[in-house]
Amino acid sequence: MMAFYADEQHLHQPQTFMVAGQFQAAEEVAERADILLQAGQAAGLTFQRPENIDKGPIAAVHTPEYLSFLEVIHQRWVDEVPNAGPEVIPNLHLDRTLGGYPSSPTGLANYHMADAACPIGPRTYEAALWSAYTAIAATYDVLAGTNAAYALSRPPGHHAYADLAGGFCFLNNSAIAAQMLRSRHDRVAILDVDVHHGNGTQGIFYHRNDVLTVSLHADPTTYYPFMCGYAHERGEAAGRGYNRNIPLPRSTEDAQYMSALDAAISSIRSYSPGALVLALGLDTYRGDPLQGMQLTEAGFASIGARIAAMNLPTVIVQEGGYVSDGLGSCLTEFLHGYGA
């Protein structure tokens, strides 16, 4: 299996995120990339640096005004907002469908940031670009004929919409990969096994039938992103029936999870895609600090084996999974199960 990573992903160094009205130390830190890099190497992967620095696939998913926002907002925040903090964090959450497009940094932060869990620092945009370039490199590799490639993408991406950051995410790496795969395949599937619903990915493809989106995640009734990820969300217009959500209890252990995963895989087989994007979250692990599910390290080996058995050209894009004693083992077990 080919694998890709870029050191520039360390440049995003968030200090905080808000939980229950309180700022806490950030969980999405550069250390997690170091752990995953070492774990991938322990499983036998050799990581390459992305060579094709191509913004085209990013622009095919994200709007021009959003990309411009990410590029300039931190400098504008520092220069124009009186007494601004060191990170861009919105203090408004108004209805974006009302009124026009804002011009002030504070207004733009409200417009393009869904929550206080995606602070933008001075090098966030650069790190997010390299995270996307990593997914792009893995996708090019699969398009060239490799059966599977792993993108160690950090910061993650599946909560990012076409023009909205949220939940630690800025550029939707899994969506970018899927859109690229469409250049070769009439139908592409995205399977998201992160503990959180891939709301940004769902939003990007919700009206389309050429990309099937399937997400297994903790029940959003009491878990991020709260407002979507429910089973009744099936897509709209041409996309009706091409989105499937499988919410699970936070107490979910290996056996129950594998049953749900088998159902998700059955849906994907019925769709008969030409290629797959696996949004690989490791935060379903029982030792993950976000405490969303109760999967064991061995459970990730089972996930890997089931995905490999689909025998589809697959881009594996790293999503969540936060610093814990078992984080690296979860990735190593997944890769062993996959047969990397």
Side-chain angles (χ1 to χ4, degrees):
M1 180 187 295
M2 301 294 291
F4 298 87
Y5 177 71
D7 286 339
E8 285 87 348
Q9 296 178 48
H10 279 73
L11 296 173
H12 175 55
Q13 295 281 3
Q15 302 302 303
T16 61
F17 78 118
M18 183 177 285
V19 178
Q22 299 185 54
F23 280 108
Q24 299 183 8
E27 297 285 0
E28 205 294 288
V29 294
E31 181 186 356
R32 60 186 292 264
D34 296 331
I35 294 170
L36 294 171
L37 182 66
Q38 293 171 9
Q41 292 168 337
L45 299 185
T46 298
F47 285 84
Q48 298 184 19
R49 177 181 171 81
E51 294 182 354
N52 294 318
I53 308 307
D54 185 358
K55 290 185 179 180
I58 300 171
V61 168
H62 294 285
T63 66
E65 62 185 17
Y66 177 61
L67 295 176
S68 177
F69 162 80
L70 290 177
E71 183 174 11
V72 305
I73 188 57
H74 188 269
Q75 191 61 54
R76 288 197 60 192
W77 181 263
V78 171
D79 291 345
E80 301 175 35
V81 178
N83 302 312
E87 298 177 303
V88 181
I89 301 175
N91 63 335
L92 301 169
H93 294 287
L94 302 178
D95 187 345
R96 297 199 315 159
T97 64
L98 301 175
Y101 188 66
S103 59
S104 72
T106 303
L108 287 167
N110 167 67
Y111 191 89
H112 286 300
M113 300 173 74
D115 52 46
C118 54
I120 296 176
R123 308 294 292 276
T124 294
Y125 177 61
E126 189 175 353
L129 280 178
W130 280 98
S131 181
Y133 292 152
T134 300
I136 290 167
T139 308
Y140 275 135
D141 201 61
V142 170
L143 286 170
T146 300
N147 189 56
Y150 171 60
L152 204 181
S153 293
R154 183 268 161 189
H158 71 152
H159 296 308
Y161 291 78
D163 65 348
L164 189 65
F168 308 158
C169 300
F170 305 94
L171 299 175
N172 195 314
N173 304 311
S174 294
I176 291 167
Q179 185 63 38
M180 290 178 66
L181 291 170
R182 278 286 293 108
S183 69
R184 177 74 52 82
H185 303 283
D186 292 337
R187 293 178 305 283
V188 173
I190 301 175
L191 174 59
D192 192 326
V193 297
D194 191 277
V195 77
H196 302 96
H197 173 244
N199 55 316
T201 308
Q202 173 176 298
I204 288 168
F205 296 110
Y206 204 59
H207 294 83
R208 292 171 52 172
N209 59 17
D210 59 333
V211 178
L212 174 72
T213 49
V214 182
S215 179
L216 289 76
H217 49 267
D219 187 342
T221 302
T222 59
Y223 206 67
Y224 189 94
F226 299 104
M227 292 180 288
C228 55
Y230 297 93
H232 69 266
E233 299 160 17
R234 300 177 51 242
E236 293 182 353
R240 184 74 172 173
Y242 294 88
N243 184 82
R244 183 176 185 188
N245 291 324
I246 305 176
L248 297 167
R250 293 175 67 171
S251 59
T252 295
E253 299 181 349
D254 290 353
Q256 183 180 4
Y257 192 89
M258 299 312 150
S259 178
L261 180 58
D262 288 342
I265 289 172
S266 178
S267 294
I268 292 170
R269 291 189 186 280
S270 295
Y271 183 63
S272 191
L276 174 71
V277 175
L278 177 66
L280 178 61
L282 303 172
D283 41 6
T284 49
Y285 173 53
R286 62 184 177 185
D288 190 272
L290 300 187
Q291 286 294 291
M293 287 190 196
Q294 296 295 314
L295 270 61
T296 66
E297 292 97 325
F300 289 97
S302 296
I303 293 172
R306 281 168 163 80
I307 303 304
M310 298 175 70
N311 197 29
L312 286 169
T314 301
V315 181
I316 302 168
V317 179
Q318 187 63 54
E319 295 287 357
Y322 303 97
V323 176
S324 71
D325 291 342
L327 174 59
S329 295
C330 292
L331 178 60
T332 301
E333 289 298 317
F334 168 84
L335 292 169
H336 284 159
Y338 195 92

